[in-house]
Amino acid sequence: MGKVKQEKKKKSSNGIVKQGIMFNKNFGQHILKNPMIITSMLEKSGLRPTDVVLEIGPGTGNMTIRLLEQVKKVVACEIDVRLVAELQKRVQGTPAQQKLQILVGDVLKTDLPFFDICVANIPYQISSPLVFKLLLHRPFFRCAVLMFQEEFAKRLVAKPGDKLYCRLSVNTQLLARVDMLMKVGKNNFRPPPKVESAVVRIEPRNPPPPINYTEWDGLTRIVFTRKNKTLGSSFRQTAVLATLEKNYKVHCSLHNKEIQPDFNIKQKIEKILTEVEADQKRARTMDTDDFLVLLHAFNNEGIHFS
């Protein structure tokens, strides 16, 4: 009882009471209240009666109930035990009860089961790690229709040369096709968030590009640290050269390759960049194919990023 009282005292700063439930801003709880947006999200996801759907952050279940009417099974992942109880209450004694599985806990720490479609109003503070958890999930799912903070959504779909184009853009677009579906005003939520939102459709590339994703991530981390600088400049940084030299020596040791006494990592990097005509390129204007060519060239010469 003491915990409940304490939470109620904090409601002015930490939550808002609606329907007997205090929404917790620490969990990013903003409940989507507009049924038209829910309808649109479900239509865009291309649901089939045989589908298993993963819903992240079902809240009070407004979208969950609609999903249960249309698909074979819904797996709902919810961190807040109070909302879990509310959701269970809504389906109790109905045919939908047998079709709903609830995973209680943090979705980032949860082993996700098989699913065909993911539909969710994402707690914004977990947006980036969640996108990559989904994209690296196996077996593949068909698509995800997800609500994000508008600027995050714009970064996901940004193209080379766009102001918001960044490492998030290129890493996501390597693994998936990403489309902006619609913008959603803050007044469609209870309580209203401080920022506008947007819905994005993510369709994993199946099969994925035949590369080591950890290697790719290491490369893009280096070049996007200073995305407006030339690649030549990015790779001349002392810390970058030291890391790549260490990785190269490990590679040579594992493959019984002799390192020449006059070996110079800086010269080797510059030679590779010149050969693929990338020395004067800037990360902000390069697309996934450009980075794939670059990664392949480095790896062929024994230069690794992981």
Side-chain angles (χ1 to χ4, degrees):
M1 284 297 290
K3 188 177 178 184
V4 174
K5 285 179 182 173
Q6 190 178 17
E7 281 183 346
K8 285 185 178 177
K9 282 180 186 173
K10 290 197 294 182
K11 71 181 179 183
S12 61
S13 61
N14 201 36
I16 293 180
V17 177
K18 291 280 182 184
Q19 297 175 351
I21 294 173
M22 187 181 72
F23 296 132
N24 189 331
K25 290 184 179 178
N26 290 340
F27 292 153
Q29 288 175 349
H30 298 280
I31 307 300
L32 183 60
K33 66 181 184 180
N34 186 337
M36 297 297 290
I37 291 167
I38 294 174
T39 298
S40 185
M41 287 180 72
L42 299 189
E43 285 175 353
K44 301 284 188 185
S45 60
L47 298 171
R48 300 172 187 168
T50 53
D51 280 340
V52 174
V53 176
L54 173 69
E55 186 185 9
I56 299 158
T60 54
N62 293 341
M63 188 180 291
T64 320
I65 299 301
R66 297 282 301 280
L67 283 167
L68 287 164
E69 294 167 357
Q70 298 183 50
V71 300
K72 178 183 170 185
K73 181 181 179 182
V74 174
V75 179
C77 192
E78 177 56 66
I79 196 170
D80 190 334
V81 291
R82 300 165 310 151
L83 294 177
V84 169
E86 180 76 10
L87 195 50
Q88 287 171 328
K89 200 190 307 177
R90 284 186 76 165
V91 298
Q92 202 167 9
T94 72
Q97 187 174 0
Q98 301 304 314
K99 296 165 71 174
L100 177 63
Q101 176 188 351
I102 301 176
L103 302 177
V104 185
D106 182 344
V107 67
L108 297 179
K109 298 174 183 173
T110 301
D111 289 331
L112 298 176
F114 165 83
F115 60 95
D116 299 290
I117 300 284
C118 178
V119 183
N121 171 17
I122 303 296
Y124 294 156
Q125 64 267 37
I126 65 167
S127 296
S128 188
L130 182 64
V131 166
F132 291 102
K133 182 180 177 82
L134 291 175
L135 288 177
L136 298 172
H137 178 74
R138 299 294 180 268
F140 282 95
F141 56 94
R142 234 174 31 250
C143 82
V145 174
L146 307 173
M147 178 99 66
F148 294 113
Q149 183 176 327
E150 186 181 14
E151 181 161 315
F152 182 87
K154 286 181 175 177
R155 289 180 190 278
L156 286 179
V157 302
K159 299 301 178 196
D162 290 353
K163 186 180 177 184
L164 290 176
Y165 187 65
C166 61
R167 191 165 146 255
L168 173 69
S169 319
V170 76
N171 283 4
T172 307
Q173 291 166 32
L174 171 79
L175 299 173
R177 175 181 167 176
V178 194
D179 296 297
M180 182 80 76
L181 296 182
M182 59 181 161
K183 294 180 181 180
V184 182
K186 57 184 79 169
N187 291 330
N188 291 290
F189 298 90
R190 188 181 61 243
K194 291 178 181 175
V195 294
E196 302 295 324
S197 303
V199 178
V200 167
R201 186 178 190 274
I202 297 176
E203 187 179 327
R205 298 193 191 280
N206 185 6
I211 60 162
N212 179 326
Y213 183 73
T214 311
E215 284 272 314
W216 167 277
D217 193 51
L219 169 64
T220 59
R221 193 180 295 273
I222 290 170
V223 298
F224 275 100
T225 299
R226 301 155 75 198
K227 71 175 183 177
N228 294 320
K229 300 286 186 182
T230 63
L231 263 56
S233 172
S234 294
F235 280 100
R236 277 193 288 272
Q237 294 177 85
T238 307
V240 171
L241 290 171
T243 300
L244 295 182
E245 182 170 17
K246 181 183 172 186
N247 290 354
Y248 179 72
K249 287 178 176 176
V250 169
H251 170 79
C252 290
S253 173
L254 291 172
H255 294 84
N256 294 318
K257 287 187 178 179
E258 187 182 347
I259 299 175
Q260 298 302 316
D262 61 346
F263 173 75
N264 183 306
I265 188 69
K266 185 178 178 184
Q267 289 176 2
K268 189 171 184 68
I269 298 290
E270 287 175 349
K271 181 173 179 285
I272 295 168
L273 289 173
T274 303
E275 284 175 354
V276 294
E277 300 179 349
D279 186 65
Q280 293 304 309
K281 287 184 177 177
R282 299 168 202 274
R284 63 179 172 81
T285 64
M286 296 171 65
D287 62 18
T288 52
D289 288 341
D290 294 327
F291 288 116
L292 286 169
V293 167
L294 188 62
L295 182 61
H296 187 65
F298 276 125
N299 287 173
N300 275 353
E301 292 293 327
I303 303 293
H304 292 274
F305 298 89
S306 63

